[in-house]
Amino acid sequence: MVRTLLVRGLLLGLLAGLIAGGFAFAFGEPRVDAAIALEEAAAAQAEASEPDAEAGHSHGEEAEVSRPAQKAGLFLATGLYGLAVGGVFALVFAGLRGRVGPRSDGRLALAAAGTAFTAMILVPFVKYPANPPAVGDPDTINSRTLLYVVMIIIGLAATAAAVTTARRVLSDPWLRWVATVAAFLVPVVAAWWLLPTVSEVPDGFPATLLWEFRLTSLGTQLVFWSAFGVLFGWISDRAARRTAAPASAAAPS
């Protein structure tokens, strides 16, 4: 059964990744192009005022990886991302199945996908939203990446704490919900408060473009997890019905 779930997760993850890639291509790439144009215009202005200064990196046709190649590679990247996430999700789903969450495979898949999106994408995004080209100091990329990974770990740990709380508090439904939400929000809000803020947006960068890019980045992840959760849940429910049909037919009347 685990092997079947793993193959299902890999294939559906790949499909969901390509769907998300289509969204990113349609809505994200124009924002990336606009940000690159601003970066190159600023670099050209700086070069004109200081001819001896080193030229900045290029994103155009003369770059090591041209923009057309980068756009084509977008689908490769989202497809590989879908493969990896789909495989891990399938293994986690196999561990949760029949132990935690809804008994229906379809509902469990949707709940697991929604939880993963919240813990791994939404929680880090609130503290460290994505930035387009021309935003961010290249010298701080390692520290920024580390902080983002820390937020993912905290989101996953808070999710585990919330699930454990929900399973242990059984006396009163309202108390159970309050305790579960608190178990999730307390560590997350504490991390939002205590971790350092990263603010590297250059002066004069258009706020509208910045937030359009960030929302598109978040939207790409939302499209991926929605498509993957729906597809995985739908296929899992169909498979469960096919498995149950012969068993019910064979049962004595």
Side-chain angles (χ1 to χ4, degrees):
M1 184 60 185
V2 174
R3 180 180 178 182
T4 301
L5 289 174
L6 180 58
V7 173
R8 183 183 304 163
L10 291 171
L11 293 178
L12 295 180
L14 174 60
L15 178 58
L18 295 177
I19 293 172
F23 178 90
F25 183 84
F27 296 97
E29 285 302 310
R31 276 76 185 180
V32 174
D33 288 337
I36 289 174
L38 287 173
E39 182 183 22
E40 293 182 342
Q45 184 177 2
E47 186 178 357
S49 60
E50 299 180 20
D52 296 332
E54 292 185 4
H57 62 282
S58 174
H59 299 276
E61 297 292 340
E62 69 277 9
E64 291 185 10
V65 180
S66 65
R67 282 297 292 148
Q70 291 174 18
K71 291 181 179 181
L74 170 66
F75 290 93
L76 176 62
T78 56
L80 292 176
Y81 171 82
L83 275 173
V85 170
V88 174
F89 181 92
L91 296 177
V92 174
F93 181 86
L96 296 176
R97 193 167 178 258
R99 297 180 179 89
V100 179
R103 297 299 178 184
S104 163
D105 284 353
R107 291 180 181 179
L108 177 60
L110 288 174
T115 301
F117 171 79
T118 301
M120 299 172 59
I121 305 300
L122 189 58
V123 167
F125 176 87
V126 172
K127 181 67 177 179
Y128 303 116
N131 287 327
V135 174
D137 184 356
D139 294 334
T140 64
I141 187 170
N142 290 332
S143 61
R144 286 186 281 122
T145 301
L146 178 60
L147 288 171
Y148 192 86
V149 171
V150 168
M151 279 304 312
I152 292 177
I153 294 173
I154 291 171
L156 292 173
T159 300
V163 171
T164 301
T165 302
R167 298 186 68 183
R168 291 185 176 179
V169 180
L170 302 174
S171 56
D172 180 83
W174 283 103
L175 178 61
R176 182 185 185 189
W177 276 106
V178 171
T180 300
V181 172
F184 179 79
L185 286 181
V186 168
V188 168
V189 173
W192 287 341
W193 181 267
L194 295 174
L195 288 177
T197 300
V198 177
S199 180
E200 298 180 350
V201 180
D203 294 336
F205 192 90
T208 300
L209 177 60
L210 176 65
W211 280 104
E212 283 180 348
F213 177 88
R214 288 177 172 178
L215 292 177
T216 301
S217 176
L218 182 64
T220 300
Q221 291 288 348
L222 180 60
V223 168
F224 171 80
W225 283 104
S226 298
F228 180 71
V230 169
L231 289 170
F232 196 95
W234 177 58
I235 296 297
S236 297
D237 268 349
R238 290 192 62 186
R241 285 195 297 267
R242 285 198 303 267
T243 303
S248 60
S253 56

